[in-house]
Amino acid sequence: MPHGQTRVPPRHRERLSDVKLRAAENAIDYPDVMVVREPHDPEAVVLTDPCLLVEVTSPSTETIDRREKLAAYTRIPTLKG
């Protein structure tokens, strides 16, 4: 496997930033990478139950990613610490 790539476990599917995440009742985000367990609807455009989220921070997004998004993401019960 090339350096920097990871393998998604069986019965899981990666979703890239084209899928929305409802991280809170009033918040929709676009994580850079999201992994969800199977089965799930491959046509879904809004997900609520990821098991892994990845955000790539940059100087222009770091404050939002590390404050607002992190606060919302830590309340998602399907994420494991």
Side-chain angles (χ1 to χ4, degrees):
M1 180 178 315
H3 177 73
Q5 291 186 349
T6 59
R7 191 173 297 174
V8 176
R11 296 182 307 276
H12 291 70
R13 178 171 307 276
E14 76 277 1
R15 301 295 302 260
L16 301 178
S17 60
D18 62 331
V19 178
K20 301 173 192 173
L21 169 66
R22 183 175 301 281
E25 195 170 307
N26 59 350
I28 296 285
D29 291 307
Y30 290 89
D32 293 307
V33 178
M34 185 169 18
V35 175
V36 294
R37 288 182 184 86
E38 294 286 358
H40 88 282
D41 180 1
E43 301 298 318
V45 293
V46 179
L47 299 174
T48 59
D49 58 349
C51 60
L52 173 73
L53 294 173
V54 176
E55 289 287 354
V56 178
T57 61
S58 68
S60 64
T61 65
E62 184 173 17
T63 300
I64 292 171
D65 290 341
R66 294 188 187 271
R67 289 187 184 167
E68 289 89 1
K69 287 185 176 184
L70 181 60
Y73 293 174
T74 58
R75 292 189 295 269
I76 297 173
T78 56
L79 292 176
K80 296 182 178 183

